[in-house]
Amino acid sequence: MWRSKPPAKLRLKSRRKKMKYVLVTGGVVSGLGKGVTASSIGVLLKACGLRVTSIKIDPYLNTDAGTMSPFEHGEVFVLDDGGEVDLDLGNYERFLDIKLTRDNNITTGKIYQHVIAKERKGDYLGKTVQVVPHITDAIQEWIERVAAIPVDGQEGPADICVIELGGTIGDIESAPFIEALGQFSYRVGPGNFCLVHVSLVPVLNVVGEQKTKPTQHSVRGLRGLGLIPDILACRSTKALEENVKEKLAQFCHVPLESIFTLYDVPNIWHIPLLLKDQKAHLAISKVLNLASIVKEPYLEEWTSRAELCDNLHVPVRIAVVGKYTGLSDAYLSILKALLHASVACRKKLVVDWVPACDLEKETEKENPNAYKAAWKLLKGVDGVLVPGGFGDRGVEGKILAAKYARENKVPFLGICLGMQVSVIEFARSVLCLHDANSTEFKPETKHPCIVFMPEGSRTHMGGTMRLGSRKSIFTVKDSKSAKLYGNRSSVDERHRHRYEVNPEMVERLEKAGLSFAAKDETGKRMEIVELPNHPFFIGAQFHPEYKSRPGKASPLFLGLIAASCGELDTVMNPASVDQHLISNGLKSVFSNGTSKKAPNGRADVRYNNGFCNGLHTR
Ligand code: GLN
């Protein structure tokens, strides 16, 4: 018995029984950075000592993101369980350092599929199956079920579930979700549901005044649909003026202390700090009746990292030779992994996008300027990365990029298709098998060094992708990759592919000098290739980018960046790698990284939803 209050830890435990929900909606326009805002709210609450999980709702009809074009929708993010999901789940995993499941991404397709399957089984007992209540009930049950799945490695459900509703308030396709969430807020009751509405406060150049009308309209729309905002997060170029906030409070019926301004910042790691400075944790915990148990947020690590990132000057130039170079969201996790590694090495990341097609001979004839520009870019970088991809467009250009890196001893990292092209290139150039290819691109090739190796059926394309976390065992102990992974015997990384190195050609390739440093548990699937006599030439069949975190850079990316700065030995020293993996990555693994200044003309900043993501690109 405690005479006054029980100790804080026990109070927290007893309060944990009931899940609390933070719903994040968006208004006015899409692309406001709703995902980053929702993840940042999660970071802030986690920093207050709460356990946080998240759910992303995408109101489109696709069951998952697996079939969606990265060019239209950004990259497909892959989870441990093989779920192919919206890229926002990557933001949640990176920001909150959690591992989500495929069910944490709800789509209209998934909900309808679930309800229709139940209807076919006769579960509705002859009733007319309707959007309300059957679809709306299914949405609520799904949210409650998935929110209870632990995602942070600890036992039992989290304290808070942040739910992000994709799209913009008023979209026709999100109507069933809005209705379901309105019912849900009532179902979980007051004190358990907090609605954060992310909106836009634009400035019209003519008058230079911050305009509240778009937010007023969008809040009115929200209320009209039965949802009442507790908190307004306003995107703007500069901090909101006090009178603008007052006006919003008055017209939107939201207390002044619950209106936050998310103005443009130099990198997205500042967003949780912006929220903390404006005491968003207090406003949220007040709505959720958590005020008595939340601690003062501890965000030292985030603060140092955000500041460190702003103050990096020595550039490291990396060419990303890909297909979708017009849309950086198509390679979001690759960019983030490069950024995490660059920050760990205290270097300013400069990405040069090289369209793979432009490196090809055909382009020399058709568009000589594009050809020259692409080669000039490639020849000016410190390191080359060839990312994953599907389909044959640009494959020959990627092969040429691998050849250039191999012959000129430029650090190279090939991921999935990037690894496959490096093997094809080696077979063509070193083994002189000129028509060596992948059967994905040339089924009739005489030298198939990459072949279809499904885990399931060979005859059905559907469901044949090797997806999700698989074990790779290091077979060459003194390889660079084994050292970078801290001399562990194996690693679990995420996969998304159908084709692999032909096991029948492995011996020949090995004899010619290609080393297969890691294989799967059967020894038949090649997971990592390396060229031992090259400063840094590594290809991975898996996608290490999906598990990179701001404070824990992915080892292979760390290797690429370090090698590109001529500092590979420092990260391969087991002591410093271990320290790096364990620590939060803020301590530089190098001591002399800040002496040079960036050359002029390389400071153009790429904005991601108006929040600059800290990358410098051309
Ligand atoms: N298209 C290749 C395969 O299916 C590579 C896939 C990828 O890069 N993710 O194996």
Side-chain angles (χ1 to χ4, degrees), residues 390-560:
F390 293 83
D392 61 0
R393 192 162 65 83
V395 166
E396 289 302 320
K398 291 180 180 178
I399 293 175
L400 290 168
K403 184 178 169 72
Y404 166 80
R406 184 180 57 78
E407 291 179 344
N408 294 283
K409 307 257 182 237
V410 178
F412 173 90
L413 179 60
I415 292 174
C416 207
L417 179 60
M419 175 250 212
Q420 298 172 1
V421 299
S422 71
V423 176
I424 297 172
E425 194 282 315
F426 188 86
R428 285 186 188 175
S429 304
V430 182
L431 290 177
C432 300
L433 307 173
H434 300 299
D435 89 325
N437 215 322
S438 163
T439 53
E440 180 180 7
F441 314 122
K442 198 175 177 199
E444 70 286 1
T445 174
K446 278 202 214 78
H447 298 106
C449 48
I450 308 293
V451 294
F452 183 43
M453 279 180 56
E455 278 184 338
S457 157
R458 276 189 165 266
T459 45
H460 291 80
M461 278 301 264
T464 51
M465 188 100 82
R466 193 161 175 248
L467 271 171
S469 184
R470 297 283 187 285
K471 198 174 278 315
S472 302
I473 298 166
F474 287 104
T475 39
V476 184
K477 300 283 179 233
D478 65 345
S479 57
K480 292 188 183 82
S481 46
K483 287 183 190 154
L484 284 166
Y485 274 103
N487 291 321
R488 302 215 301 259
S489 56
S490 67
V491 284
D492 295 302
E493 294 277 15
R494 298 177 183 173
H495 293 68
R496 183 174 185 246
H497 61 99
R498 291 192 179 89
Y499 293 81
E500 285 178 59
V501 177
N502 185 352
E504 286 168 20
M505 285 189 67
V506 166
E507 211 183 310
R508 235 173 130 185
L509 290 162
E510 273 176 337
K511 278 200 181 125
L514 199 61
S515 165
F516 293 98
K519 300 180 183 170
D520 80 331
E521 283 160 309
T522 67
K524 290 206 183 82
R525 299 176 190 272
M526 304 302 119
E527 292 284 3
I528 299 181
V529 295
E530 274 190 34
L531 277 178
N533 57 2
H534 187 286
F536 186 91
F537 193 101
I538 294 184
Q541 183 58 72
F542 50 78
H543 291 266
E545 69 273 23
Y546 293 133
K547 282 171 80 169
S548 183
R549 301 281 186 266
K552 293 179 213 154
S554 166
L556 295 186
F557 281 84
L558 189 63
L560 174 71

Side-chain angles (χ1 to χ4, degrees), residues 17 20 41 55-56 73 91 227 330 340 352 366 407 462 474 479 485 502 539 560 594:
K17 275 178 203 134
K20 311 260 177 183
I41 289 173
I55 292 177
K56 168 81 197 287
H73 206 80
N91 266 333
L227 286 173
H340 302 159
D352 281 335
E366 284 161 18
E407 291 179 344
F474 287 104
S479 57
Y485 274 103
N502 185 352
L560 174 71
T594 47

